[in-house]
């Protein structure tokens, strides 16, 4: 991966710089110094169950910057990185490394909703610009919304709600849900329940376990005993791999259909193998969207990283596109932050997922696809809900 070139000055070159400075002071030269690099702080998981997700987000972000010649709006980008370990108890200290120690201009992060909530608090307190490239915590573009906080991904409510629409449309009446007991799990299940019950179904029981535990056996036994029409699951990363394999190994797939928000099978299909084949999920991206934009993105991603892109890579790529839209509007002058924010608010992002705009609370308004796991791809079956906008509950801006 190409890193920004840092210049280190030898003694003679320092002398040249001093001479140039003096010439400018005395009006004998019109030398203009280039703006310094824009400092972007990437706070993502590099360890733990979400490590692969953080890696894909960073790759996507850097790919877009690289495609723009290493610059956004004419500004070179300098990266600062912190591993947040998907640990909310360390989140405030971690984000302050970027804000107070590294003095970054913009923070990009993270994956885990609990960590992202602490980041949003710190971004508000310090008035630092924040772009969230995954974590769906509803409050970030709800009650905690702010002019300088943006999201390039989704709210937890969105894929949950869309999967509820799908489940009700399939005629299921009795559902059980299963997830980790933290903001992303709870809010995704809430979205599912809202749409499923509006469509005539009933959630008979919510099952959960602490994040990031993967001891599913007792809960699977309870599903087998209750025999619902359908199970809705939210898991992601390493936990999703284990859950899908355990669900299959317990023999449940033959008797109780499993639906998930798309994180259940995104970036995980190779590890899940045959246990995931045929699983249907709902998400704002599908691997095989046959558009010139998605095809070009996937090709360039594969060439650059020798790996297939997934939804996390798309969200990282679009975080860079969103930042770029702001910087282009002010010709790279970050001091014109109000102008940047205005441009980001009204940006139309040409994403591999399909073009999207932002809601008034800065969350993507986007199509949610029904997908099916076929081979190594989450293939698009239908648009589950068109242009789904998060309600942005509690946002006043
Ligand atoms: C979350 O914590 O918001 C989250 C984590 C992984 C995938 C999707 C959402």
């Amino acid at each position: 991966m190409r890193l920004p070139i840092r210049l280190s000055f030898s003694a003679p070159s320092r002398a040249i710089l001093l001479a140039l400075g003096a010439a400018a002071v005395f009006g004998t030269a019109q030398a203009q110094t280039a703006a310094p690099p824009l400092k972007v702080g990437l706070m993502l998981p590099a360890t733990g169950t979400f490590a692969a997700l953080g890696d894909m987000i960073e790759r996507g972000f850097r790919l877009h910057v690289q495609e723009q010649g290493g610059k956004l709006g004419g500004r070179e980008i300098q990266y600062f990185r912190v591993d947040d370990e998907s640990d909310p108890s360390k989140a405030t200290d971690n984000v302050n490394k970027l804000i107070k120690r590294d003095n970054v201009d913009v923070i990009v992060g993270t994956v885990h909703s609990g960590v992202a909530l602490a980041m949003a608090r710190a971004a508000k307190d310090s008035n630092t610009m924040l772009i969230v490239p995954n974590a769906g915590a509803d409050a970030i573009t709800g009650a905690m919304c702010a002019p300088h906080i943006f999201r390039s991904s989704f709210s937890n409510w969105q894929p949950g709600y869309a999967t509820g629409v799908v489940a009700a449309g399939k005629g299921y009446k009795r559902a059980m849900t299963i997830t980790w007991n933290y903001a992303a799990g709870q809010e995704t299940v809430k979205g599912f329940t809202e749409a499923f019950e509006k469509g005539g179904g009933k959630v008979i029981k919510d099952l959960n376990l602490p994040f990031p535990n993967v001891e599913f056996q007792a809960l699977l036994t309870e599903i087998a005993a209750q025999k619902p029409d359908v199970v809705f699951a939210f898991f992601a990363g390493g936990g999703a791999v284990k859950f899908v394999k355990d669900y299959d190994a317990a023999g449940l797939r033959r008797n109780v259909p499993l639906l998930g928000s798309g994180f259940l099978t995104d970036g995980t299909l190779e590890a899940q193998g045959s246990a995931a084949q045929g699983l249907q999920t709902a998400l704002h991206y599908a691997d095989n969207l046959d558009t010139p934009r998605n095809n070009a993105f996937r090709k360039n991603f594969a060439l650059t990283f020798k790996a297939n892109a997934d939804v996390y890579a798309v969200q990282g790529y679009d975080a860079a596109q969103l930042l770029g839209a702001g910087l282009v509007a002010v010709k790279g002058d970050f001091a014109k932050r109000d102008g940047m924010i205005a441009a980001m608010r009204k940006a139309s992002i040409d994403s591999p997922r399909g073009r999207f705009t932002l809601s008034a609370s800065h969350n993507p308004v986007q199509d949610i696809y029904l997908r099916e796991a076929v081979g190594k791809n989450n293939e698009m079956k239908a648009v589950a809900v068109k242009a789904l906008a998060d309600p942005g509950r509690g946002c006043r801006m």
Side-chain angles (χ1 to χ4, degrees):
M1 186 78 254
R2 224 176 69 114
L3 291 169
I5 299 159
R6 306 264 193 92
L7 300 176
S8 67
F9 297 112
S10 62
S13 59
R14 212 176 282 127
I16 291 167
L17 265 191
L18 283 174
L20 278 175
V25 168
F26 293 110
T28 53
Q30 301 293 313
Q32 250 206 334
T33 33
L38 189 87
K39 296 165 87 171
V40 172
L42 298 175
M43 180 152 150
L44 295 165
T47 49
T49 196
F50 290 161
L53 289 55
D55 187 43
M56 292 302 266
I57 290 169
E58 179 165 352
R59 287 174 174 190
F61 192 98
R62 287 179 182 257
L63 180 64
H64 178 68
V65 173
Q66 183 183 285
E67 286 173 357
Q68 306 306 306
K71 295 179 179 177
L72 294 178
R75 286 289 290 275
E76 201 172 297
I77 303 297
Q78 184 178 5
Y79 295 102
F80 295 80
R81 301 167 79 234
V82 166
D83 173 11
D84 68 40
E85 302 170 48
S86 295
D87 186 346
S89 72
K90 297 181 183 164
T92 304
D93 284 349
N94 276 330
V95 73
N96 279 329
K97 289 180 193 159
L98 295 171
I99 295 172
K100 295 184 178 159
R101 182 193 66 191
D102 301 331
N103 217 0
V104 300
D105 298 303
V106 182
I107 313 166
V108 176
T110 187
V111 170
H112 183 290
S113 276
V115 176
L117 286 166
M119 293 175 72
R121 236 166 273 126
K124 284 184 93 156
D125 291 349
S126 61
N127 201 24
T128 309
M129 184 173 278
L130 169 65
I131 303 177
V132 179
N134 184 69
D138 291 343
I140 289 173
T141 53
M144 294 180 76
C145 74
H148 58 290
I149 297 180
F150 290 84
R151 184 149 50 195
S152 64
S153 51
F154 61 95
S155 73
N156 288 324
W157 177 87
Q158 282 177 309
Y161 185 89
T163 320
V165 169
V166 168
K170 286 178 181 284
Y172 298 131
K173 294 294 176 216
R174 295 167 67 251
M176 286 176 81
T177 71
I178 181 164
T179 189
W180 281 311
N181 193 7
Y182 81 113
Q186 290 157 352
E187 292 171 356
T188 308
V189 162
K190 210 164 158 199
F192 172 84
T193 305
E194 184 183 329
F196 185 60
E197 298 200 339
K198 212 192 285 177
K202 177 86 193 133
V203 172
I204 58 167
K205 185 139 195 196
D206 294 321
L207 303 174
N208 51 59
L209 70 171
F211 175 88
N213 284 13
V214 289
E215 298 312 319
F216 300 115
Q217 218 45 56
L219 303 177
L220 295 177
T221 303
E222 193 165 350
I223 291 170
Q226 298 267 354
K227 295 192 188 66
D229 297 340
V230 66
V231 166
F232 170 73
F234 166 86
F235 293 105
V241 172
K242 172 90 168 31
F243 177 75
V244 165
K245 287 182 145 185
D246 285 4
Y247 198 87
D248 187 49
L252 278 168
R253 274 202 70 191
R254 283 191 299 279
N255 305 315
V256 187
L258 175 63
L259 286 175
S261 79
F263 306 108
L264 196 62
T265 54
D266 224 278
T268 53
L269 283 178
E270 283 190 44
Q272 286 163 335
S274 61
Q277 292 304 299
L279 278 185
Q280 294 200 339
T281 60
L283 204 63
H284 48 284
Y285 183 62
D287 296 313
N288 71 331
L289 294 176
D290 192 15
T291 60
R293 188 72 180 98
N294 189 43
N295 291 335
F297 163 74
R298 291 189 74 85
K299 187 171 167 199
N300 207 8
F301 191 93
L303 281 172
T304 307
F305 301 111
K306 314 285 174 260
N308 289 325
D310 61 14
V311 70
Y312 306 104
V314 170
Q315 295 170 167
Y317 189 83
D318 291 342
Q321 292 212 78
L322 187 56
L323 179 59
L327 284 167
V328 164
V330 296
K331 300 192 170 58
D333 184 356
F334 193 73
K336 296 185 176 149
R337 220 175 67 151
D338 287 352
M340 256 188 92
I341 287 172
M344 291 166 76
R345 281 176 68 89
K346 62 175 198 305
S348 168
I349 301 295
D350 189 10
S351 168
R353 75 187 86 170
R355 196 172 273 283
F356 71 84
T357 54
L358 295 180
S359 65
S361 59
H362 298 177
N363 190 66
V365 178
Q366 55 196 340
D367 294 349
I368 310 288
Y369 306 105
L370 171 63
R371 309 113 42 93
E372 185 169 311
V374 180
K376 292 181 185 167
N377 281 342
N378 286 289
E379 290 192 352
M380 205 265 253
K381 292 268 132 210
V383 176
V385 185
K386 184 110 196 103
L388 185 61
D390 179 87
R393 289 172 184 132
C395 173
R396 271 172 256 305
M397 235 194 311

